[in-house]
Amino acid sequence: MILLLLLLCVQGNIARIIEKRQVFQRGPDHEQFKWPNNTVHYYFDDNLFDQSMSEAVLRAMELISTHTCIKFSTEPSDVMIRMESDPTQNFCYAEIGHVRPHQKFSFVSACYSSGAAAHELIHSLGFIHTHQRSDRDQYLDFKMNLEDMTPDMRDQYKIYEGQTLYVPYDYGSKNIRMTDTMGTEMLAFYDYLMINKYYECSCDTDLKCQNNGYPNPANCSQCNCPYGYGGDDCSRRAEPGQTVMATLEPQTVTIKLDAGFRNGDERQVDFIYSYLWIEAPANKSIVTRIELVSKEKCVPGCSRGGLEIKINDDDRLTSRRFCCGTGQFDRSFHSPTIVMAYNSVGLDEYIIHYRHDP
Ligand SMILES: [Zn+2]
């Protein structure tokens, strides 16, 4: 008997902080939960789906299908996702994997963004949350008591055994300020890689990708690059952006990122980005301090906009993000050190102070 699992993606603070997704395989039968031919069949239920939210869902499909071998199709099939909206709910959810005819995918306005839609689609592809990985307790100081939760909530936080972990635990940093980095509505480099590994997507190509990129199964003449890298082979800076050279003397650079929607609750369906490369002489670490000039966006995970300096040894991982409060110091041993600003609403302005160590 197939166990149907509904993964609620609750909009409450704690849930938002630690939501992410992860590989979930149900033992030897896990193959049956994969979508055949890497193709996800879906339809919008005309009676139940709020069409004003279709842009977010379609954009999420575009993001996934342009970085992986997954395709989304409205062609009829035995198993299809039924896209619906329940105005009485303030959460979104999806069933995990390829499970049954008209399987559930509920998307409501509280989740409106391409990242939130992608989160649910990744459940549909067969993945659970990162915080439910079998190695979770090595990375999180998990203080919630499962015994105090309703069964639905417990399903959100319990660890699932029998998983294959294709990618590293990506929450940014082991730093205890986890609310700065976790659960943002941005598809991580490792999310795409996880999908590609699970669905065995690859390219038969001589293309050599730089900086830990890999050939993109959706377009084998280009690489999937870690954030901050661009060009066909990830050897260049992603655009738009600028490159500066650190010196011993502190210098400053300003980053402004205007996503529009200055008033009201509306925001971009997707983030806009700007990249700064800070270069330094060989073997010199780079010290940065960020000042937030514009209005604070004190949202868990900096999920409306923020600034991330890639300081992890593995700069494919999400680093700590900054959108709130006073300055943040970081030290990086990468040259270039990548600073990524992203925004979905209003004008964000940062001053970056930077220098290299003696
Ligand atoms: Zn979820």
Side-chain angles (χ1 to χ4, degrees):
M1 184 177 130
I2 296 173
L3 175 66
L4 294 179
L5 292 172
L6 295 183
L7 262 261
L8 308 179
C9 295
V10 185
Q11 293 294 301
N13 255 8
I14 296 170
R16 296 297 299 160
I17 290 167
I18 63 177
E19 268 181 18
K20 270 225 159 177
R21 49 266 157 185
Q22 194 46 238
V23 169
F24 179 46
Q25 297 190 358
R26 300 173 179 81
D29 295 332
H30 73 83
E31 289 290 328
Q32 69 180 296
F33 296 99
K34 278 186 184 175
W35 290 83
N37 302 315
N38 304 336
T39 303
V40 176
H41 294 267
Y42 74 97
Y43 64 97
F44 292 109
D45 187 314
D46 290 340
N47 296 318
L48 296 173
F49 188 77
D50 179 348
Q51 293 297 332
S52 70
M53 287 180 286
S54 59
E55 185 184 3
V57 175
L58 293 171
R59 174 62 181 150
M61 291 179 179
E62 182 183 3
L63 285 168
I64 293 171
S65 62
T66 54
H67 290 82
T68 71
C69 62
I70 299 296
K71 298 178 183 66
F72 295 91
S73 170
T74 54
E75 290 292 313
S77 180
D78 291 346
V79 176
M80 296 189 82
I81 294 174
R82 182 178 68 208
M83 303 280 180
E84 59 183 55
S85 312
D86 182 346
T88 67
Q89 304 286 0
N90 69 344
F91 55 82
C92 296
Y93 62 87
E95 289 179 74
I96 299 175
H98 168 270
V99 284
R100 62 183 174 122
H102 313 295
Q103 69 181 67
K104 281 183 176 294
F105 183 107
S106 181
F107 195 68
V108 300
S109 58
C111 318
Y112 182 82
S113 74
S114 60
H119 178 111
E120 302 308 332
L121 288 174
I122 292 174
H123 284 322
S124 299
L125 288 169
F127 300 90
I128 60 164
H129 298 126
T130 294
H131 68 263
Q132 297 181 289
R133 281 170 59 129
S134 50
D135 60 350
R136 180 266 305 282
D137 290 340
Q138 295 175 38
Y139 298 93
L140 285 186
D141 184 10
F142 193 79
K143 288 185 161 39
M144 299 167 73
N145 188 350
L146 294 177
E147 302 303 316
D148 296 339
M149 296 179 183
T150 62
D152 282 348
M153 288 294 284
R154 206 172 295 137
D155 280 346
Q156 295 286 297
Y157 296 106
K158 71 182 183 186
I159 287 175
Y160 283 91
E161 301 299 338
Q163 303 174 30
T164 299
L165 305 176
Y166 289 113
V167 293
Y169 199 106
D170 181 7
Y171 58 25
S173 159
K174 288 185 187 178
N175 193 295
I176 56 170
R177 292 177 62 196
M178 290 179 291
T179 55
D180 283 356
T181 54
M182 299 186 68
T184 59
E185 293 174 355
M186 188 187 302
L187 278 153
F189 176 83
Y190 275 121
D191 291 328
Y192 294 126
L193 184 59
M194 179 178 73
I195 295 168
N196 283 322
K197 285 190 170 184
Y198 181 45
Y199 278 88
E200 301 175 70
C201 314
S202 62
C203 287
D204 181 12
T205 174
D206 294 329
L207 179 64
K208 297 280 185 278
C209 302
Q210 309 297 311
N211 296 305
N212 289 314
Y214 63 95
N216 178 359
N219 177 358
C220 290
S221 65
Q222 294 181 342
C223 301
N224 276 342
C225 304
Y227 281 97
Y229 295 103
D232 285 348
D233 64 353
C234 310
S235 63
R236 301 209 303 265
R237 191 193 65 224
E239 299 293 344
Q242 60 179 316
T243 299
V244 296
M245 175 64 78
T247 59
L248 265 174
E249 293 301 313
Q251 301 179 76
T252 61
V253 60
T254 299
I255 296 177
K256 290 184 182 180
L257 202 52
D258 191 350
F261 298 111
R262 302 288 181 88
N263 305 301
D265 295 330
E266 282 189 295
R267 59 185 170 123
Q268 298 275 359
V269 71
D270 202 2
F271 292 113
I272 58 171
Y273 297 88
S274 177
Y275 300 94
L276 173 69
W277 274 20
I278 306 176
E279 296 180 336
N283 303 317
K284 300 291 186 189
S285 56
I286 293 171
V287 178
T288 53
R289 182 169 62 85
I290 311 167
E291 275 181 60
L292 178 61
V293 179
S294 52
K295 196 174 152 195
E296 293 181 313
K297 293 178 176 173
C298 299
V299 181
C302 293
S303 58
R304 297 291 180 272
L307 191 127
E308 177 185 339
I309 302 184
K310 298 284 189 182
I311 58 168
N312 285 318
D313 291 343
D314 177 357
D315 66 4
R316 290 168 291 183
L317 288 166
T318 308
S319 287
R320 189 168 61 174
R321 290 179 176 162
F322 179 81
C323 58
C324 187
T326 54
Q328 174 177 301
F329 283 97
D330 280 307
R331 174 171 274 103
S332 160
F333 296 92
H334 296 287
S335 182
T337 287
I338 291 171
V339 180
M340 179 178 82
Y342 62 97
N343 191 16
S344 65
V345 61
L347 172 66
D348 286 352
E349 183 173 354
Y350 306 90
I351 297 174
I352 318 294
H353 303 263
Y354 64 96
R355 63 174 174 81
H356 68 68
D357 276 330

